[in-house]
Structures are given as C-alpha cells and as structure tokens.
Amino acid sequence: MPAGEHDLVVVANRLPVDMTVADDGSLSWTRSPGGLVTALAPVMQRNAGAWVGWSGTPDLEHEPFDGEGMRLWPVRLSESEIAAYYEGFSNGTLWPLYHDVIVDPQFHRAWWNAYVSINRRFAAAAAEAVAEGGTVWVHDYQLQLVPAVLRLLRPDVKIGFFNHIPFPPLEIFSQLPWRRQVLEGLLGADLVGFQRESDAKNFLRAVRRLTDLPTRGRVVTIGERWARPARQVRAASFPISIDSTAFDALASSPAVQKRAVEIRKELGDPEVLLLGVDRLDYTKGIRHRLKAFGELLADGRLAAPEATLVQVASPSRERVEQYRQLRDEVEATVGRINGDYGALGRAAVHYMHHSYPMEEMAAMYRAADVMLVTSLRDGMNLVAKEYVAARRDLGGVLVLSEFTGAADELTQALLINPHDIDGTKAAIMRAIAMEPTERRRRMRGLRRRVLDHDVQRWAEDFLTALANPRPHPRPLVEDE
C-alpha cells in the first residue's frame, strides 16, 4: 500500500469533532469535549497529524478534511454496523467482560464478524493516511484488531495501542471465544499501553497462557515468519490524566467560585454537601453509593436536609437494555430515600440525569465537601482527578474506590471497597469529620500528583516510549 503524508496518525472510535451535514450538503463540525482531544491536539498540530475515526453520524460518508489543526479522516459506519460493532460487540461483549463481568457479557458471532470488518476498515484508513516510517497510535477496546491488520498493510510504521479500560484477569478474559484473535490483534503493536500495572500483568499472563510466544519481563517476542523479521512487543502502564492546569485555572476563576456559593445556597445551605459525578453505567457503583447514604440516614448518623447528596448521572448508551434498567433502579432508589428522609422542598438526594458544561462541574466540585467515587471497576476515573484539580483552596475530601486506576496514584484519598457498605459508610463519616489540618495535608498531596502528571505528560510519555524502546526493560512479572 502506498504511503500517506502524515507522520503521526491517531486512530480512535470517534473523531475529535462532531460532524453534521446540512440539507444542501454543506459540512459543519464542532470540537468534541474530552481529555484525549486535549492531550493529542498539540502533538498532532506539531507533527502534521491525522485523526481517523467515526464522525458520530450514521451513514455519513465524507472525504478527509482539515480541522482543529490536523487532518480529520472520517470512517463511515452504517446504523446496522453501529448496532453490531459498537453497541453489540464493543459494549455488550467487551465492556462487561473487561469490567469483571459486573453484568453478563453476550457472545454473538454476528457481532464478532462486524467487529472484525470494522476494525479492518479503520486499519485501512490509517494505512492510507500514515507516511513512510510514520507512527500510528490506536486507542481503546473498540479497535483491538487494528494493530495486526495495520502491520500487514504497512510493516514500515511504528504502532502503539492504548487501552483506556481495564484488561481483565486471565480467568475472565478466557471466556471470550475469540480471545486468541484479540491477543494477536494487540500484538501487532510495538507498544501496548494500559492504565495500571495490574492490567499490563493481566495482558502478559494471557499471552503466556493462550499463545506459544515467549515473554520476558515486559517484552513479548514475535518470531520470524515468512519474509517478516522477528520483532518485540512491550507492555507497560501509562496512567492517563486531565488538563489539570487548565481545570485548576477554571475552578479558581471568580465566576466559578461565585457559582459554587450559589449552588450551596440553592440547595438550602446544607451543613454537608456530598457529590457523585458519573456516566450512568453499572460499573460506577451508583447504587452502592446510594445504599450507603440511605443507611447513614436510616441509622441517624446523618440527617437530611442538613446532609445532602448531589448525584449527577449523565446519560449513557440508553438504547441498551441493561442501561435502561439501571436508570430505573437508580431513580427508584432516589425516590425511596427522598420519600423516607427528605423534607418539604428539601430533598435528601438531588439527582440530575443530564450533562453539564465544565464551568458548572467545576463549581460543583468547589461546592462539595466530600467527593464520592465508588466505581466497582474503572480503568482510571478522571472525575477524581478533576475534583482534586478544582480544589486549589485545599478543601474537600476524596473518597475513592480501590478498584479505580486512580487509586494507584491518589493514595491520599480515603480508599474504600464499595462492595463493603459498612466500610463505605465509615469512610464517608470520617471524611465529614476530618480535621481541617488533615484535610489540607491530604489535598495538597493529591494536587501535587495531579498537577505534575497531566494529560500532556501522559501523551508525551507514551509517544517517547514508542519512539525509543528500552533495550533492557525492567521486569514486570516473573516468567512462567
């Protein structure tokens, strides 16, 4: 395949813009929010980069175009392909499987066939875009087969892959009927990145058990095959972050600080304001959080409306039955708590099932006394880092699930097992009663980590490791 013109190509399920086509055929687009766009846009602009991804609109076919300082390369997906590849295999099979089977994954051959076909389409677009000897960085669980297909098409390029969600233990991953094909897809990369060291260990263990490829430390060796030379694949952790400096500045602006005061006043100036912010997803532990708060009210250890929980649950995958069920359960639980413990015009739980702009979220973070992150399994959880970045005042306490990637870094948080309701309740009460000196000390340590390790550093660390492989990487796991 002839080479393209871009030294760096990013491949992700979505483009960094939302595209729409008017009735007259004219194209318009707006930049999508998100940390990945923030992290990679400056790098792409410096390297004449291209971004391959779906436009977000079914059946939209469009030639590559320039936007956000890079070349945007749309991949067309039909309604039926979105249903099978994205809603089906990606989010009905891989998402629950990779999140410790919190709900049962579904294994359908038609979904798998669509996943294979769409991954080949993304790989072909990347192969067309990348220059001779260039670099392709593939992102996330929707595109795990792209590295191997791309290597067949363009053996001259460097290929990196980053998995934004957890990689499951062997005993869970082995349930996947197409487990070997997925591993072979990932092993098309030169560098496979994960959020946590444990994810990299899980991947390497799966390679050792499910393939005949030799591994040593972090390195998998792919032997010669026909005309292809031997090569090495490395696995390592690169914990993602946020644009912490920008978020710190936003949260410290006079407008946001004023809005934070208004939020507390609108809520009736509670003595204690607890906050949860999540996508409405079964991995986020929202039901566990509500159960713990409801029991604290029932026990008389907290009283509403003096103690108030604000739960923001942005809509997510609402065409999937499991997500509709979750919404019904969460709303029923909120209704019971408010019916039992709320006061006239003063709810115990304020539940919002919609998204907010970043300015409003920053104000909520500044207003909250306690941030509750109770995920049952999470690759990272950037909400925890946003809360820390927002607290230049060193106020607030972060209660953080040990099953998030963020728990490896944010060790000054109060770490919890969200399945342990009594332990979660104890952590909430400890956060509420924490002395100001300890609160400031903990938040100072958290902010040091979040501000030093921002999303730009994450991107630079990964691309540097991809460009400059270490000849003797430090051991990650023992050989078996």
mmCIF file of all heavy atoms in Angstrom, residues 2 11 45 80 92 121 133 141 148 165 181 219 245 248 280 287 301-302 304 359 374 430 432 471 477:
data_model
loop_
_atom_site.group_PDB
_atom_site.id
_atom_site.type_symbol
_atom_site.label_atom_id
_atom_site.label_comp_id
_atom_site.label_asym_id
_atom_site.label_seq_id
_atom_site.Cartn_x
_atom_site.Cartn_y
_atom_site.Cartn_z
ATOM 1 N N PRO A 2 0.618 2.224 -0.882
ATOM 2 C CA PRO A 2 1.439 3.439 -0.905
ATOM 3 C C PRO A 2 1.305 4.239 0.376
ATOM 4 O O PRO A 2 0.265 4.222 1.033
ATOM 5 C CB PRO A 2 0.866 4.224 -2.101
ATOM 6 C CG PRO A 2 -0.510 3.689 -2.293
ATOM 7 C CD PRO A 2 -0.453 2.239 -1.899
ATOM 8 N N VAL A 11 -5.790 6.780 15.748
ATOM 9 C CA VAL A 11 -6.973 6.023 15.350
ATOM 10 C C VAL A 11 -7.818 5.809 16.603
ATOM 11 O O VAL A 11 -7.356 5.205 17.575
ATOM 12 C CB VAL A 11 -6.603 4.659 14.722
ATOM 13 C CG1 VAL A 11 -7.851 3.973 14.179
ATOM 14 C CG2 VAL A 11 -5.564 4.828 13.628
ATOM 15 N N GLN A 45 -0.808 18.798 15.914
ATOM 16 C CA GLN A 45 -0.540 20.027 15.167
ATOM 17 C C GLN A 45 0.947 20.193 14.876
ATOM 18 O O GLN A 45 1.335 20.671 13.806
ATOM 19 C CB GLN A 45 -1.089 21.217 15.951
ATOM 20 C CG GLN A 45 -2.614 21.240 16.008
ATOM 21 C CD GLN A 45 -3.171 22.019 17.187
ATOM 22 O OE1 GLN A 45 -2.420 22.635 17.945
ATOM 23 N NE2 GLN A 45 -4.476 21.978 17.370
ATOM 24 N N SER A 80 -26.689 -0.323 11.080
ATOM 25 C CA SER A 80 -26.584 -1.734 11.462
ATOM 26 C C SER A 80 -25.185 -2.067 11.958
ATOM 27 O O SER A 80 -25.016 -2.888 12.878
ATOM 28 C CB SER A 80 -26.954 -2.629 10.279
ATOM 29 O OG SER A 80 -26.078 -2.422 9.181
ATOM 30 N N GLY A 92 -21.562 -4.702 24.471
ATOM 31 C CA GLY A 92 -22.334 -5.811 25.006
ATOM 32 C C GLY A 92 -21.481 -7.022 25.322
ATOM 33 O O GLY A 92 -21.884 -7.880 26.112
ATOM 34 N N ARG A 121 -11.587 -1.851 8.425
ATOM 35 C CA ARG A 121 -11.858 -0.573 7.756
ATOM 36 C C ARG A 121 -11.050 0.551 8.401
ATOM 37 O O ARG A 121 -10.483 1.402 7.702
ATOM 38 C CB ARG A 121 -13.359 -0.273 7.837
ATOM 39 C CG ARG A 121 -13.802 0.877 6.950
ATOM 40 C CD ARG A 121 -15.312 1.077 7.042
ATOM 41 N NE ARG A 121 -16.030 -0.140 6.717
ATOM 42 C CZ ARG A 121 -17.327 -0.323 6.937
ATOM 43 N NH1 ARG A 121 -18.048 0.642 7.499
ATOM 44 N NH2 ARG A 121 -17.911 -1.445 6.607
ATOM 45 N N GLY A 133 7.427 5.198 7.327
ATOM 46 C CA GLY A 133 8.143 5.218 8.595
ATOM 47 C C GLY A 133 7.477 6.024 9.685
ATOM 48 O O GLY A 133 8.100 6.319 10.706
ATOM 49 N N TYR A 141 -10.684 -0.249 23.365
ATOM 50 C CA TYR A 141 -11.169 -1.618 23.215
ATOM 51 C C TYR A 141 -11.980 -1.840 21.946
ATOM 52 O O TYR A 141 -12.130 -2.969 21.491
ATOM 53 C CB TYR A 141 -12.004 -2.006 24.442
ATOM 54 C CG TYR A 141 -13.264 -1.183 24.643
ATOM 55 C CD1 TYR A 141 -14.522 -1.710 24.362
ATOM 56 C CD2 TYR A 141 -13.209 0.123 25.129
ATOM 57 C CE1 TYR A 141 -15.675 -0.972 24.558
ATOM 58 C CE2 TYR A 141 -14.347 0.865 25.331
ATOM 59 C CZ TYR A 141 -15.583 0.324 25.036
ATOM 60 O OH TYR A 141 -16.718 1.063 25.232
ATOM 61 N N ALA A 148 -2.738 -5.427 14.303
ATOM 62 C CA ALA A 148 -2.272 -6.553 13.491
ATOM 63 C C ALA A 148 -2.620 -6.357 12.016
ATOM 64 O O ALA A 148 -1.799 -6.655 11.129
ATOM 65 C CB ALA A 148 -2.876 -7.856 14.000
ATOM 66 N N ILE A 165 -9.605 1.187 29.185
ATOM 67 C CA ILE A 165 -10.391 0.493 30.210
ATOM 68 C C ILE A 165 -9.530 -0.626 30.795
ATOM 69 O O ILE A 165 -8.444 -0.900 30.299
ATOM 70 C CB ILE A 165 -11.714 -0.056 29.626
ATOM 71 C CG1 ILE A 165 -11.457 -1.197 28.627
ATOM 72 C CG2 ILE A 165 -12.510 1.076 28.971
ATOM 73 C CD1 ILE A 165 -12.731 -1.876 28.146
ATOM 74 N N GLN A 181 -7.628 -14.353 18.900
ATOM 75 C CA GLN A 181 -7.630 -13.349 17.839
ATOM 76 C C GLN A 181 -7.433 -11.944 18.398
ATOM 77 O O GLN A 181 -6.745 -11.115 17.784
ATOM 78 C CB GLN A 181 -8.947 -13.419 17.051
ATOM 79 C CG GLN A 181 -9.128 -14.693 16.250
ATOM 80 C CD GLN A 181 -9.946 -15.739 16.976
ATOM 81 O OE1 GLN A 181 -9.701 -16.014 18.157
ATOM 82 N NE2 GLN A 181 -10.922 -16.321 16.284
ATOM 83 N N VAL A 219 8.316 -7.859 27.807
ATOM 84 C CA VAL A 219 8.509 -8.000 26.362
ATOM 85 C C VAL A 219 7.982 -9.336 25.863
ATOM 86 O O VAL A 219 8.254 -10.387 26.441
ATOM 87 C CB VAL A 219 9.997 -7.850 26.008
ATOM 88 C CG1 VAL A 219 10.229 -8.103 24.522
ATOM 89 C CG2 VAL A 219 10.496 -6.452 26.394
ATOM 90 N N THR A 245 -3.819 21.829 34.757
ATOM 91 C CA THR A 245 -3.532 23.261 34.917
ATOM 92 C C THR A 245 -4.707 24.105 34.443
ATOM 93 O O THR A 245 -5.119 25.064 35.112
ATOM 94 C CB THR A 245 -2.263 23.645 34.145
ATOM 95 O OG1 THR A 245 -1.157 22.871 34.640
ATOM 96 C CG2 THR A 245 -1.954 25.121 34.299
ATOM 97 N N ASP A 248 -7.614 23.658 36.908
ATOM 98 C CA ASP A 248 -7.307 24.412 38.129
ATOM 99 C C ASP A 248 -7.636 25.887 37.926
ATOM 100 O O ASP A 248 -8.264 26.533 38.779
ATOM 101 C CB ASP A 248 -5.830 24.214 38.470
ATOM 102 C CG ASP A 248 -5.360 25.089 39.622
ATOM 103 O OD1 ASP A 248 -6.139 25.285 40.576
ATOM 104 O OD2 ASP A 248 -4.216 25.568 39.572
ATOM 105 N N LEU A 280 -24.006 7.294 33.648
ATOM 106 C CA LEU A 280 -24.933 6.316 34.210
ATOM 107 C C LEU A 280 -24.548 4.940 33.671
ATOM 108 O O LEU A 280 -25.014 4.501 32.620
ATOM 109 C CB LEU A 280 -26.381 6.666 33.843
ATOM 110 C CG LEU A 280 -27.446 5.809 34.533
ATOM 111 C CD1 LEU A 280 -27.346 5.919 36.052
ATOM 112 C CD2 LEU A 280 -28.834 6.205 34.058
ATOM 113 N N ARG A 287 -25.470 2.638 42.683
ATOM 114 C CA ARG A 287 -26.419 2.012 43.606
ATOM 115 C C ARG A 287 -25.774 1.757 44.972
ATOM 116 O O ARG A 287 -26.426 1.917 46.015
ATOM 117 C CB ARG A 287 -26.938 0.701 43.007
ATOM 118 C CG ARG A 287 -27.896 0.912 41.832
ATOM 119 C CD ARG A 287 -28.230 -0.378 41.121
ATOM 120 N NE ARG A 287 -27.057 -0.953 40.471
ATOM 121 C CZ ARG A 287 -27.114 -1.976 39.601
ATOM 122 N NH1 ARG A 287 -28.282 -2.536 39.335
ATOM 123 N NH2 ARG A 287 -26.020 -2.441 39.042
ATOM 124 N N ARG A 301 -27.063 8.652 61.692
ATOM 125 C CA ARG A 301 -25.718 9.231 61.745
ATOM 126 C C ARG A 301 -25.629 10.486 60.888
ATOM 127 O O ARG A 301 -24.781 11.348 61.114
ATOM 128 C CB ARG A 301 -24.684 8.188 61.312
ATOM 129 C CG ARG A 301 -24.674 6.970 62.242
ATOM 130 C CD ARG A 301 -23.906 5.811 61.644
ATOM 131 N NE ARG A 301 -22.469 6.045 61.628
ATOM 132 C CZ ARG A 301 -21.593 5.195 61.066
ATOM 133 N NH1 ARG A 301 -22.015 4.086 60.479
ATOM 134 N NH2 ARG A 301 -20.300 5.480 61.106
ATOM 135 N N LEU A 302 -26.486 10.574 59.878
ATOM 136 C CA LEU A 302 -26.671 11.798 59.107
ATOM 137 C C LEU A 302 -28.154 12.119 59.086
ATOM 138 O O LEU A 302 -28.997 11.220 59.219
ATOM 139 C CB LEU A 302 -26.171 11.624 57.665
ATOM 140 C CG LEU A 302 -24.674 11.456 57.441
ATOM 141 C CD1 LEU A 302 -24.384 11.275 55.950
ATOM 142 C CD2 LEU A 302 -23.891 12.649 57.974
ATOM 143 N N ALA A 304 -31.099 14.512 56.870
ATOM 144 C CA ALA A 304 -31.419 15.394 55.747
ATOM 145 C C ALA A 304 -32.439 16.437 56.231
ATOM 146 O O ALA A 304 -33.268 16.143 57.094
ATOM 147 C CB ALA A 304 -31.998 14.576 54.598
ATOM 148 N N GLU A 359 -17.768 24.438 33.261
ATOM 149 C CA GLU A 359 -17.816 25.513 34.249
ATOM 150 C C GLU A 359 -18.734 25.135 35.418
ATOM 151 O O GLU A 359 -18.411 25.380 36.581
ATOM 152 C CB GLU A 359 -18.305 26.812 33.599
ATOM 153 C CG GLU A 359 -17.356 27.402 32.566
ATOM 154 C CD GLU A 359 -17.456 26.749 31.198
ATOM 155 O OE1 GLU A 359 -18.322 25.852 31.024
ATOM 156 O OE2 GLU A 359 -16.689 27.131 30.305
ATOM 157 N N THR A 374 -17.240 5.687 43.729
ATOM 158 C CA THR A 374 -17.470 4.344 44.271
ATOM 159 C C THR A 374 -17.473 3.282 43.170
ATOM 160 O O THR A 374 -18.183 2.278 43.270
ATOM 161 C CB THR A 374 -18.802 4.303 45.035
ATOM 162 O OG1 THR A 374 -19.855 4.740 44.160
ATOM 163 C CG2 THR A 374 -18.760 5.200 46.256
ATOM 164 N N ARG A 430 -15.889 9.541 58.246
ATOM 165 C CA ARG A 430 -14.540 10.023 58.523
ATOM 166 C C ARG A 430 -14.236 11.274 57.696
ATOM 167 O O ARG A 430 -13.626 12.232 58.194
ATOM 168 C CB ARG A 430 -13.513 8.928 58.223
ATOM 169 C CG ARG A 430 -12.080 9.341 58.531
ATOM 170 C CD ARG A 430 -11.096 8.264 58.164
ATOM 171 N NE ARG A 430 -9.727 8.757 58.311
ATOM 172 C CZ ARG A 430 -8.656 8.124 57.840
ATOM 173 N NH1 ARG A 430 -8.791 6.957 57.223
ATOM 174 N NH2 ARG A 430 -7.456 8.648 57.998
ATOM 175 N N ILE A 432 -16.397 13.463 56.563
ATOM 176 C CA ILE A 432 -17.185 14.587 57.079
ATOM 177 C C ILE A 432 -16.548 15.176 58.337
ATOM 178 O O ILE A 432 -16.511 16.397 58.523
ATOM 179 C CB ILE A 432 -18.629 14.125 57.354
ATOM 180 C CG1 ILE A 432 -19.346 13.814 56.029
ATOM 181 C CG2 ILE A 432 -19.400 15.177 58.153
ATOM 182 C CD1 ILE A 432 -20.682 13.127 56.204
ATOM 183 N N PRO A 471 16.319 -1.059 25.581
ATOM 184 C CA PRO A 471 16.833 -2.379 25.230
ATOM 185 C C PRO A 471 16.672 -3.399 26.347
ATOM 186 O O PRO A 471 16.560 -4.580 26.096
ATOM 187 C CB PRO A 471 18.316 -2.107 24.946
ATOM 188 C CG PRO A 471 18.628 -0.840 25.674
ATOM 189 C CD PRO A 471 17.362 -0.041 25.667
ATOM 190 N N VAL A 477 6.727 -8.966 35.385
ATOM 191 C CA VAL A 477 6.209 -10.194 36.009
ATOM 192 C C VAL A 477 7.270 -11.268 35.875
ATOM 193 O O VAL A 477 8.160 -11.196 35.043
ATOM 194 C CB VAL A 477 4.903 -10.658 35.308
ATOM 195 C CG1 VAL A 477 3.788 -9.689 35.539
ATOM 196 C CG2 VAL A 477 5.127 -10.881 33.825
#
